Amino acid sequence: MSRPRVLSGVQPTGALHLGNWLGAIRNWVDLQETHDTFVCVVDLHAITVPHDPSRLAEDTRSTAALYLACGIDPKRCSVFVQSQVAAHSELCWLLNCVTPLNWLERMIQFKEKAVKQGDNVSVGLLDYPVLMAADILLYDADLVPVGEDQKQHLELARDIAQQRINARFRGKDTPVLKVPKPLILKEGARVMSLTDGRSKMSKSDPNEGSRITLLDPPELITKKIKRAKTDPERGLEFGNPDRPETDNLLGLYAILSGKGRQQAATECAEMGWGQFKPLLAEATVSALEPIQARYRELMQDPTELDQVLRTGREKAETVANDTLERVRDALGFARPA
Ligand code: AMP
Ligand code: TRP
């Protein structure tokens, strides 16, 4: 029996932060042990808002290097660049033509991002979730590990597969597309901003002090944690709705120290901030240190990364082209002579 399939990806926009690692990449690393895993750098998604062409290629490679540095093992997992597998764009088009416009107009992330773009909203920004559905459906993914913010996009991918393709078109093997399930693990699924415990840590927050990136040097990590927003109460606890910053920082400590929620809560129940913050800084620095060391190694010698991305692309192409052909057949396209 073949192993269940996993697909996921992160955009190469800005530096990856603790939310990307804890909410997404860390789960991929666990899944590669038991699943057939594909992870891509979704560079086509990165151009849905204005981007800098002089940085795109470099950011794409650096994101891929971070996947490996975080523990993605190219022997078990195919790592590739989305734009290098043409089937993503092509399936996106086919899905575009069966997806109702109003499904896209109600996407929360689109509405949020569109506001930020003012009158410069591209068709691509609206279409972003259909491209994401194509990414997932091409690989017959069983599971898609993502952070909480992607739940609505996953539901859209399921609806497109089920209601718009499988219910309307017959394949040689029916159903045409596999309907994927999201995998949103509770712990780490929503890492919040260091400057506001009610909004999520995000690459696009103009305040860099709001996030810790995976490549921040130790002094900067310590400084950001020192300045992180807290509240006047003493003692840390989980789940108090009036203390979102406390919940977030204690949650980060529980994961990054490896102690888990219960032990962290007991240890910090009576602690003041002056005692807790250095502990959190230390745990963060030690958790990121091996990732940073491996990242530097990978970026110094491009041959290893090139090889990983080439092999990953070849494997991805084989699977993706197969699915694309299935969809083309189901939709009734003429086969090339
Ligand atoms: P993005 O940075 O939007 O490309 O997101 C890449 C992955 O990281 C997705 O699976 C997101 O759900 C996840 N992610 C982004 N921000 C956070 C956060 N603050 N907490 C948890 N997961 C996140
Ligand atoms: N939209 C996702 C995000 O910003 C990134 C993404 C694109 C993705 N395609 C995907 C995630 C396919 C999982 C599967 O987080």
Side-chain angles (χ1 to χ4, degrees), residues 290-329:
I291 295 179
Q292 298 184 352
R294 178 80 180 111
Y295 172 82
R296 281 194 291 271
E297 223 174 81
L298 284 159
M299 293 306 277
Q300 259 159 27
D301 171 15
T303 43
E304 184 180 347
L305 187 60
D306 284 344
Q307 181 56 40
V308 167
L309 292 177
R310 191 175 315 121
T311 315
R313 172 171 54 81
E314 285 162 6
K315 284 202 203 146
E317 253 171 3
T318 308
V319 177
N321 289 344
D322 221 53
T323 310
L324 182 61
E325 196 173 289
R326 235 163 52 215
V327 179
R328 288 176 57 106
D329 283 348

Side-chain angles (χ1 to χ4, degrees), residues 10-11 17 19-20 23-24 146-147 149-150 188-191 201 203:
V10 171
Q11 299 184 60
H17 53 66
N20 298 131
V146 283
D149 61 341
Q150 296 300 313
R190 220 170 138 72
V191 174
M201 185 176 284
K203 289 171 182 165

Side-chain angles (χ1 to χ4, degrees), residues 8-25 27-28 42 45 63 67 109 113 128 132 144-151 154 183-185 187-193 199-204 248:
S8 198
V10 171
Q11 299 184 60
T13 39
L16 299 194
H17 53 66
L18 284 180
N20 298 131
W21 180 37
L22 302 177
I25 302 173
N27 300 326
W28 310 348
V42 290
H45 279 98
T63 303
Y67 291 180
Q109 202 170 77
K113 288 192 183 178
Y128 175 119
M132 178 164 165
V144 184
V146 283
E148 177 73 33
D149 61 341
Q150 296 300 313
K151 197 169 167 199
L154 251 298
L183 177 70
I184 300 170
L185 296 181
E187 203 179 64
R190 220 170 138 72
V191 174
M192 308 311 279
S193 155
S199 65
K200 67 168 190 176
M201 185 176 284
S202 147
K203 289 171 182 165
S204 58
N248 188 44

